[in-house]
Amino acid sequence: QQQVKQSPQSLIVQKGGISIINCAYENTAFDYFPWYQQFPGKGPALLIAIRPDVSEKKEGRFTISFNKSAKQFSLHIMDSQPGDSATYFCAASTTGKLIFGQGTTLQVKP
Amino acid sequence: EAGVAQSPRYKIIEKRQSVAFWCNPISGHATLYWYQQILGQGPKLLIQFQNNGVVDDSQLPKDRFSAERLKGVDSTLKIQPAKLEDSAVYLCASSPLTGLGEKLFFGSGTQLSVL
């Protein structure tokens, strides 16, 4: 029940395309859903986050869509750029404990 | 603002040896976390401190792992004795809030190889 399941494991997108990464959870006590971006040799960095009282949050080219009834949320990267090539982790939090998904390696081809 | 500092950057040891990692969080951050990230997986929480008290260590293999946070600032994570399956990146993170799962700032990690 503490798991966060993420898909796909890897993703290849052409420059300018839309990248979509999906996550699903079981624990309805989760109350905070961030996405982290990680480059090789670096620690994860917060990209964007959402709380379950809203269905969508947009920051620049990055959008989180949240479906509370389905217990799913997704990250959309619009106009994907080669610089977006990284590993993306969804996560979910309750009582201060952050549970990460397995990660999606995104490659944006020029 | 200085980020989360971790050392060493890399460590190679043989199984059954001991190893220690050090973390200096962002100044003023009350909450400190240690995560283990095995290659190809998401980070897994080992232990969470708030100031110098342990909030959650349910995932810490206490027979071989130990951690402390000195005076609510720096922290060390120790493994003794190390096993092959401990090969991973050990990430330290800190948060300015009171452990509510808000924005975590991660260091670059210590990559441990156990041979």
Side-chain angles (χ1 to χ4, degrees), chain A residues 59-79:
Chain A
E59 289 184 1
R61 296 184 294 108
F62 302 91
T63 299
I64 299 179
S65 296
F66 187 83
N67 186 329
K68 189 174 181 178
S69 61
K71 292 186 281 188
Q72 295 176 347
F73 58 111
S74 60
L75 175 69
H76 292 64
I77 306 174
M78 310 300 289
D79 187 26

Side-chain angles (χ1 to χ4, degrees), chain A residues 32 36 38 41-44 46 51 89 93 95-98 100-102, chain B residues 9 35 37 40 42-43 45 48 56 58 99-104 106-107:
Chain A
Y32 177 70
Y36 279 78
Q38 185 176 30
K42 300 292 186 182
L46 180 66
R51 295 201 179 272
F89 295 96
S93 173
T95 61
K97 183 175 178 177
L98 202 59
F100 284 86
Q102 300 92 322
Chain B
R9 188 74 180 88
Y35 280 84
Q37 186 174 22
L45 179 67
Q48 176 186 345
D56 186 341
S58 58
L100 296 176
E102 300 290 344
K103 184 173 184 177
L104 268 62
F106 282 87

Side-chain angles (χ1 to χ4, degrees), chain B residues 15-91:
Chain B
K15 61 182 180 183
R16 292 187 289 273
Q17 286 187 324
S18 63
V19 64
F21 314 124
W22 173 81
C23 173
N24 180 237
I26 293 173
S27 177
H29 282 194
T31 309
L32 184 146
Y33 309 80
W34 283 101
Y35 280 84
Q36 179 192 58
Q37 186 174 22
I38 293 172
L39 186 65
Q41 298 182 19
K44 172 187 149 187
L45 179 67
L46 292 175
I47 189 167
Q48 176 186 345
F49 293 94
Q50 185 167 316
N51 296 310
N52 59 355
V54 175
V55 174
D56 186 341
D57 64 357
S58 58
Q59 302 272 23
L60 188 72
K62 297 180 188 64
D63 58 334
R64 297 184 301 106
F65 286 64
S66 64
E68 61 178 358
R69 188 175 185 195
L70 306 172
K71 299 180 181 178
V73 182
D74 291 8
S75 178
T76 56
L77 176 69
K78 296 179 182 178
I79 308 175
Q80 183 178 10
K83 292 185 176 181
L84 296 177
E85 58 261 36
D86 297 333
S87 294
V89 175
Y90 290 84
L91 294 163

